[in-house]
Amino acid sequence: MQASNFGSLPNLITLLRLVLVPAIVAMIASQRWVAACLIFLVAGLSDAADGWIAKQFNLRTELGAYLDPLADKALLVSIYVALAITRTVPVTLTIIIVARDLMIIGAFMVAWLLQKPMRVEPLLISKLNTAAQIAFAALVLGIKAFALSPEPWFGWGVYGVALLTLVSMAAYFWRWIHHMEV
């Protein structure tokens, strides 16, 4: 099958991830943990699939460069807020995750408003951070869905995700300061 037959498949997969966000949040809110876990796993796997397809078949687009991080942010921020509201993860962890994403979005907006737009290009630490956030959310949902013991992984996961998120925030902030010539 030729790449042209795939059309905008990566972007469609990314849009599917966006559509799944309200469903996952609704499942968490109603404490339907198995459904939340399964839908979240589909969403998490779609993140890997759209990127792989785009790279493998040279289907990267400017729209995809914006949609993919937007879908990641919508998914992860929504999930962590829902998990914090249900007292499943510490509120502090959710605040760190939301603050990082707001800082990144704010930095890109300020750069754009000052007519110094930045390229949308994820840093390696950001990719690691996203993978850790997805893995930890899947772990938490799996623990709830299958009534597993959270120890010892839960505590390590909270601290690991918090640390990676803070390091990622600092890296983007440093990149923005450099870009803006502050």
Side-chain angles (χ1 to χ4, degrees):
M1 184 179 273
Q2 291 185 318
S4 61
N5 293 340
F6 287 106
S8 57
L9 183 60
N11 292 342
L12 293 172
I13 293 170
T14 301
L15 289 171
L16 169 67
R17 188 162 65 255
L18 276 170
V19 170
L20 292 176
V21 171
I24 300 165
V25 171
M27 295 301 111
I28 292 170
S30 62
Q31 298 188 3
R32 294 177 59 194
W33 299 109
V34 172
C37 183
L38 294 174
I39 297 169
F40 182 77
L41 288 175
V42 169
L45 291 172
S46 79
D47 187 29
D50 64 11
W52 182 83
I53 291 169
K55 287 177 191 164
Q56 190 71 24
F57 298 100
N58 196 25
L59 295 173
R60 295 181 210 163
T61 64
E62 185 178 2
L63 176 62
Y66 288 99
L67 268 183
D68 189 62
L70 175 67
D72 289 345
K73 288 179 186 345
L75 175 66
L76 291 170
V77 167
S78 298
I79 296 312
Y80 278 94
V81 167
L83 290 172
I85 289 171
T86 59
R87 300 177 193 264
T88 308
V89 299
V91 171
T92 306
L93 178 61
T94 299
I95 290 170
I96 292 169
I97 290 169
V98 172
R100 173 198 172 267
D101 287 345
L102 288 175
M103 187 277 301
I104 292 170
I105 292 167
F108 273 87
M109 288 177 63
V110 167
W112 182 74
L113 288 170
L114 295 177
Q115 297 180 356
K116 290 183 110 179
M118 296 177 69
R119 273 184 31 170
V120 176
E121 188 177 303
L123 303 174
L124 176 60
I125 187 65
S126 174
K127 290 180 180 189
L128 293 172
N129 179 55
T130 299
Q133 287 181 7
I134 289 171
F136 184 66
L139 174 72
V140 168
L141 290 170
I143 286 168
K144 295 297 278 184
F146 304 106
L148 303 171
S149 171
E151 297 306 323
W153 308 112
F154 184 81
W156 286 103
V158 168
Y159 290 116
V161 168
L163 178 64
L164 276 172
T165 303
L166 290 170
V167 170
S168 175
M169 181 190 301
Y172 273 110
F173 190 59
W174 178 254
R175 182 177 177 210
W176 181 79
I177 286 173
H178 234 307
H179 177 81
M180 297 303 291
E181 300 170 345
V182 174

